[in-house]
Amino acid sequence: MSPTVAIGEPARTLPDSTGLQEFMERVEADPLPLAARYQLVAAARVLLEELYVHLPLKRAMHATEPVQRLRLLERRLQPFSELQFHAELTDVFRGLRDLHTGYQLPDPYRGQVATLGFLIERYADPDGTPHHIVSKVDRSLVHAGFDVGAELTAWNGVPIERAVERNAAAQAGSNLDARLARGLESLTLRPLRTGPPPDEYQVLLAYRSPGGRRRETRVPWRVRAAEQYAGRAQDPVPTLATSLGIDVGSEVRRQVKRTLFAPPRARRSAARALGSVVSHRTLRIRGRSYGYLRVFSFNVAGARSFAEQVARIVARGPADGLIVDIRGNPGGHVPAAESALQVLSPHPVAPVSFSLPTTRAALALARSNPAFRVWTNSIRAAVETGEVYSQAFPLTDPEAITAGLPRYTGPKVLVTDALSYSAADIFAAGFQDNGLGPVLGTARRTGAGGANVWTHELLRVWLPELLGELPRGAGFRVALRRATRARGNVDVPLEDLGVQADELHHLTRRDVTGQNRDLLAAAAALLA
């Protein structure tokens, strides 16, 4: 075995970006005032005490006490540096293990992403030996065997498997598979809106080139603007923003990945096709033809138009079966997810239901917002009944949204992973609960995000006396209405539990480097 060869830092750096050290020097020159920090901590307490629907669940399941942590933070705030403050407030929310509910950093972090310019994927040998492969890399960083197919062995001197585990412990995923998946993804890509920047300015990598030679290199962290802050996920248009179920950080990562790694021609064609959220093709596997529908996100402008597009795609597909792939889907517009589900079902689908916390603020919201009136009586009755949650009602009527559209009646299989989250969790739950077909997972469970999420900005519209304006464009997001499943899983929450796969497929090297060949063959076998 050849010895490690140190080759230093790549000759070129990522284009259209700023070094992390330079970015942080600009941040430190204009820190957030102390009064603004107190204001943010106070706003966080109101949201978690009065409007966060999962607070009882999180206290029980994760042994966390976020309200007390905020009280202590308020008392100990004064000596904190800029980064210490953001890290502490972020960590209070991270302890909830809820990607819907979090602190969003102010300017100049907002709209910026820290990246190393490459992506890593993991697979395991049949005996369980893990491998971490460079799956995408910006062409400006390719050098000395550091290219697609290179296998990482160490990260800043730490064995790569342990480095992923340590990073996973700092993620907010609600189950181990979700944390590991996010720990791997965030090793190289971190939206600064949803968490503080990396501690190190550059990373020392030990790797084995595709030719088998052992090498080392240093790759600097670079900061660049995201194409959009989070697409429509940040847009306070009332009819859309009130029906969201999305992990904003993952949506930003999805868009940045497309910008960095998709070929220019693919980016242009994706921009024309459903805003880059859907792709489709026909697969030929073992003598049969199958449709393949990849749904990258449900972050779309409207449920009906999305359902129409999906209906047109599947109507032209082969009759032998349809593979629906929602891996890495961070969610989006809940009605769009459930209407797409209805297009795939010959029978009316039962949607998930949503309930509110039975707090004074939730009652005030239900009284002020006409769309919430249906929950009012059960929240008011909780004074006597002691119920923690209101009655549960559907958010959408998928059959009404898709009226007149053709339905796909052939066999179907759904492919999920631990990054399928929120509206994607809801889609997977509906697929399974309504018996549309088997669920094939590359992880045991989906990401387990079970709520309708609202921004602090949107809540201020309906609760102006309770919530004030936040400094420097800072923000909060909160899980407001919890989702519970239908049919055979009535009242089972999605939060923290997710959707368990019917069949499990462990990714192979051919999946990571060869366009998911073994995974798609496994999906086709379930259809056949």
Side-chain angles (χ1 to χ4, degrees):
M1 187 177 292
S2 58
T4 297
V5 179
I7 60 173
E9 193 173 327
R12 291 181 290 169
T13 56
L14 200 64
D16 302 321
S17 64
T18 301
L20 178 60
Q21 183 172 1
E22 180 184 346
F23 176 80
M24 292 309 302
E25 287 171 354
R26 293 205 307 264
V27 170
E28 291 163 3
D30 186 22
L32 193 67
L34 185 61
R37 300 180 191 182
Y38 280 113
Q39 186 181 353
L40 287 171
V41 175
R45 280 184 58 187
V46 171
L47 283 178
L48 293 185
E49 281 189 294
E50 293 289 338
L51 292 163
Y52 181 44
V53 72
H54 297 312
L55 186 58
L57 172 70
K58 299 299 183 176
R59 281 170 166 160
M61 184 165 282
H62 301 296
T64 186
E65 187 42 76
V67 177
Q68 177 63 12
R69 285 192 65 183
L70 288 170
R71 292 192 187 104
L72 293 174
L73 177 59
E74 196 169 33
R75 289 176 63 89
R76 301 166 181 172
L77 198 53
Q78 196 156 354
F80 283 5
S81 69
E82 168 93 2
L83 276 181
Q84 280 179 314
F85 169 72
H86 293 309
E88 285 290 327
L89 188 51
T90 298
D91 195 56
V92 171
F93 283 89
R94 187 174 288 147
L96 298 171
R97 304 296 185 190
D98 183 352
L99 294 163
H100 283 136
T101 304
Y103 167 51
Q104 297 179 304
L105 275 68
D107 294 327
Y109 302 98
R110 184 172 63 164
Q112 303 295 321
V113 177
T115 178
L116 290 172
F118 64 94
L119 300 179
I120 311 168
E121 291 191 55
R122 181 186 188 277
Y123 75 90
D125 290 335
D127 64 1
T129 303
H131 300 271
H132 297 80
I133 303 295
V134 175
S135 60
K136 297 280 194 303
V137 62
D138 189 276
R139 302 317 297 169
S140 65
L141 301 181
V142 173
H143 65 289
F146 188 77
D147 200 347
V148 172
E151 181 174 355
L152 298 181
T153 57
W155 187 278
N156 285 335
V158 178
I160 184 64
E161 184 77 357
R162 179 59 184 150
V164 173
E165 291 172 353
R166 286 169 55 177
N167 198 44
Q171 305 305 310
S174 61
N175 57 60
L176 181 59
D177 286 335
R179 287 195 289 278
L180 284 172
R182 294 177 192 283
L184 183 62
E185 185 179 54
S186 65
L187 272 180
T188 64
L189 189 61
R190 301 185 192 180
L192 301 186
R193 175 68 161 164
T194 55
D199 293 326
E200 67 278 6
Y201 293 142
Q202 59 183 1
V203 175
L204 174 64
L205 302 173
Y207 65 98
R208 189 179 294 111
S209 71
R213 190 174 182 183
R214 290 179 176 271
R215 296 180 179 272
E216 285 186 352
T217 188
R218 285 182 173 84
V219 180
W221 279 102
R222 305 289 294 181
V223 177
R224 59 169 293 157
E227 273 194 307
Q228 305 169 45
Y229 292 153
R232 297 183 178 90
Q234 292 276 26
D235 189 347
V237 176
T239 56
L240 178 61
T242 58
S243 302
L244 284 175
I246 191 168
D247 169 16
V248 173
S250 289
E251 176 64 9
V252 172
R253 290 189 193 98
R254 185 186 72 83
Q255 294 183 14
V256 172
K257 286 177 187 177
R258 189 180 77 244
T259 304
L260 287 175
F261 305 117
R265 181 180 300 176
R267 289 202 296 268
R268 288 194 297 271
S269 61
R272 291 193 296 268
L274 277 178
S276 77
V277 300
V278 168
S279 70
H280 61 95
R281 67 181 192 270
T282 298
L283 304 175
R284 189 74 179 169
I285 302 174
R286 294 174 185 162
R288 293 191 177 191
S289 295
Y290 301 100
Y292 176 70
L293 176 66
R294 183 71 188 267
V295 185
F296 296 100
S297 173
F298 293 110
N299 192 21
V300 296
R304 174 70 186 195
S305 59
F306 183 71
E308 289 171 350
Q309 293 280 6
V310 172
R312 281 196 292 270
I313 290 170
V314 298
R316 297 193 300 265
D320 284 344
L322 177 67
I323 300 169
V324 183
D325 188 346
I326 60 168
R327 286 176 299 146
N329 187 317
H333 195 209
V334 173
E338 295 195 313
S339 63
L341 192 70
Q342 181 63 79
V343 167
L344 300 178
S345 174
H347 308 293
V349 300
V352 301
S353 295
F354 290 84
S355 52
L356 284 158
T358 53
T359 61
R360 290 174 299 175
L363 181 58
L365 179 63
R367 284 171 169 166
S368 63
N369 188 332
F372 280 68
R373 296 283 166 80
V374 68
W375 286 278
T376 305
N377 289 338
S378 60
I379 298 176
R380 188 187 297 116
V383 175
E384 297 178 355
T385 64
E387 293 289 343
V388 177
Y389 302 110
S390 72
Q391 281 182 277
F393 297 96
L395 202 61
T396 57
D397 184 350
E399 195 173 10
I401 293 173
T402 59
L405 295 181
R407 310 287 173 83
Y408 184 81
T409 59
K412 295 165 284 290
V413 61
L414 179 66
V415 182
T416 63
D417 68 357
L419 296 175
S420 308
Y421 192 77
S422 196
D425 275 299
I426 289 169
F427 182 89
F431 194 96
Q432 190 174 70
D433 295 344
N434 288 280
L436 270 63
V439 175
L440 175 65
T442 62
R444 288 178 291 271
R445 293 182 181 272
T446 56
N452 167 220
V453 57
W454 278 41
T455 64
H456 182 276
E457 184 180 10
L458 183 59
L459 285 164
R460 280 188 64 220
V461 174
W462 301 101
L463 299 171
E465 295 180 359
L466 184 65
L467 303 172
E469 188 174 357
L470 299 178
R472 288 196 184 180
F476 293 99
R477 297 172 62 82
V478 64
L480 181 67
R481 292 182 280 195
R482 76 165 191 158
T484 49
R485 298 176 65 172
R487 299 203 187 276
N489 290 301
V490 169
D491 291 337
V492 175
L494 272 169
E495 184 69 23
D496 282 313
L497 301 180
V499 177
Q500 186 168 341
D502 299 309
E503 300 286 341
L504 189 61
H505 173 82
H506 296 288
L507 292 177
T508 66
R509 186 180 181 90
R510 291 208 321 163
D511 288 324
V512 172
T513 62
Q515 298 184 324
N516 299 299
R517 279 182 287 178
D518 291 333
L519 173 62
L520 294 176
L526 291 175
L527 290 172

